[in-house]
Amino acid sequence: MDQPERWRHMASAPRDGSRILVTVRSSEQGAAEVDVAYWSHGDRFGAEGWRASDSAPGCIIEYAEPELKCWMPMPSANISRASAPSPWQGEDAQQLDGSGI
C-alpha cells in the first residue's frame, strides 16, 4: 500500500476484520458517503459480510456487496489534515486500482 490515500476496487479490500474507509454508493436514501467498515466472518449479530459500527454507536450496519463502491486504508493521524476524504465520484467502469478482475 504505497499510496494509502487512493481509492481501490472492493475486490482487493482486506477481509481480515481490519477497519477501512469505504465509499457507499448513492441511492434513493441519499448521496454517496464515506464510512468506516470491516469484514465480519459472521457471528450471532449477522451473516458474513461488510459491517460498520463506528458511524452509529450501538448499531451495527450491514452493507451488501453492491452498496460499496471502493475502499482505501484508514489514514494515519495527521494534525494538518482536518477532514475525511470525499466519496469516489467517478464512473464505475473507470479503473480505480487495477482491473478489478
Side-chain angles (χ1 to χ4, degrees), residues 23-33 63 66-69:
T23 292
V24 181
R25 293 179 187 278
S26 60
S27 69
E28 61 275 355
Q29 290 140 354
E33 63 182 8
Y63 287 115
E67 291 181 278
L68 302 179
K69 196 170 198 177

Side-chain angles (χ1 to χ4, degrees), residues 73-96:
M74 291 291 289
S76 59
N78 184 344
I79 295 173
S80 66
R81 182 178 166 165
S83 64
S86 299
W88 172 257
Q89 297 296 328
E91 294 296 321
D92 289 346
Q94 185 175 356
Q95 291 185 359
L96 297 171

Side-chain angles (χ1 to χ4, degrees), residues 25-49:
R25 293 179 187 278
S26 60
S27 69
E28 61 275 355
Q29 290 140 354
E33 63 182 8
V34 173
D35 201 355
V36 176
Y38 62 94
W39 181 261
S40 172
H41 292 286
D43 55 23
R44 64 186 176 134
F45 299 110
E48 183 175 67

